[in-house]
Amino acid sequence: MNPEELIPTRRSLLSRLKDWDDQESWKDFFDTYWKLVYGVAIKSGLSDPEAQDVVQETVLSVAKKMHHFKYDPATGSFKNWLLLITRRRISDHLRKEYRRPPKHESPQEPSSQTGTIEQLADPAEVKIDQMWDEAWQKNLLDVAIRKVKAEIDPRQFQIFDSYVLKEWPVKEVKKMLGVSATQVYLAKHRISALIKKELKKLETEML
């Protein structure tokens, strides 16, 4: 497969998502964004099962609204549209959680958490917007690395992965992979440049 097709432009992907039967495009969408939604849900205070529910509910909401969504960066970004949907699903779970009486209290007893229900369920209070921006950037970087990895020599990426991503000392990289220090530094320089270029491209495509 052409590496360029691994992560298609968002405009192209969003157009194909209007067809509910296009399973390949929906799989592409899920693979690209589920970690982003899941990570923000976890950081908002949800449990693993709840975060997984948010992912499923967000994807379902996107599917239901996709026919009416118009990709126009001039009037609103896909990034913010997806954030709005995710934030609502997270808020639903937070409200549900903090309205549930603790196990040691009967339903009639006032919960010590009652006063903070709205505060904790308020997306602004849990800083979902800020977490979304941070997670979005990380997701872009992950996608960029994945694309570059598919385009270059596996041996070169292994050197880069060991030295830059896994943060092995140069001596250990040399010993384990049988390469010189010069090869390590060259791999870092070359692949870092490719990732930065891809990241810049994705920042335009995925907004």
Side-chain angles (χ1 to χ4, degrees):
M1 180 180 292
N2 186 333
E4 190 66 25
E5 295 300 319
L6 292 177
I7 303 294
T9 61
R10 297 309 95 188
R11 184 188 297 272
S12 171
L13 175 60
L14 295 178
S15 176
R16 297 198 306 275
L17 291 182
K18 293 182 182 295
D19 180 3
W20 286 356
D21 294 325
D22 190 341
Q23 296 183 8
E24 183 178 349
S25 293
W26 277 105
K27 181 179 184 301
D28 180 15
F29 175 82
F30 184 85
D31 290 345
T32 301
Y33 294 108
W34 82 266
K35 288 183 180 179
L36 170 68
V37 175
Y38 176 86
V40 172
I42 287 292
K43 290 182 179 179
S44 297
L46 298 183
S47 65
D48 172 71
E50 290 169 336
Q52 292 186 35
D53 285 344
V54 167
V55 172
Q56 295 178 17
E57 291 164 7
T58 298
V59 173
L60 182 59
S61 294
V62 169
K64 290 179 178 178
K65 299 175 184 293
M66 203 63 237
H67 284 289
H68 305 290
F69 177 78
K70 294 182 179 180
Y71 183 79
D72 185 0
T75 58
S77 69
F78 171 71
K79 170 186 174 182
N80 289 336
W81 184 69
L82 186 60
L83 164 61
L84 179 62
I85 294 175
T86 303
R87 184 168 53 192
R88 287 173 176 170
R89 301 291 78 79
I90 291 174
S91 294
D92 288 345
H93 278 271
L94 286 172
R95 291 191 183 96
K96 186 186 303 181
E97 175 66 22
Y98 287 98
R99 282 173 180 166
R100 184 182 300 128
K103 294 181 179 180
H104 63 276
E105 295 180 5
S106 66
Q108 292 76 26
E109 292 178 304
S111 169
S112 59
Q113 294 175 311
T114 302
T116 61
I117 291 175
E118 295 305 322
Q119 177 185 359
L120 291 171
D122 186 345
E125 293 297 327
V126 294
K127 300 181 180 179
I128 292 179
D129 288 21
Q130 179 182 345
M131 289 189 292
W132 182 262
D133 286 338
E134 294 172 354
W136 183 273
Q137 289 304 316
K138 183 181 183 303
N139 192 61
L140 284 182
L141 179 59
D142 290 344
V143 172
I145 291 174
R146 194 164 82 228
K147 287 198 68 175
V148 170
K149 179 181 180 181
E151 296 169 354
I152 65 174
D153 179 71
R155 176 69 168 174
Q156 290 297 305
F157 186 83
Q158 185 181 28
I159 297 172
F160 175 83
D161 179 56
S162 299
Y163 180 55
V164 178
L165 302 182
K166 295 179 179 176
E167 299 182 339
W168 291 3
V170 174
K171 288 184 178 180
E172 188 171 351
V173 177
K174 289 170 56 181
K175 179 180 179 181
M176 296 299 295
L177 302 183
V179 296
S180 67
T182 299
Q183 288 176 299
V184 174
Y185 295 134
L186 284 175
K188 174 189 175 183
H189 175 75
R190 175 172 174 267
I191 298 176
S192 293
L194 290 174
I195 291 174
K196 288 180 181 178
K197 181 180 179 181
E198 187 60 42
L199 188 58
K200 185 175 181 179
K201 179 182 177 183
L202 288 171
E203 285 174 346
T204 301
E205 291 178 352
M206 297 177 70
L207 291 178

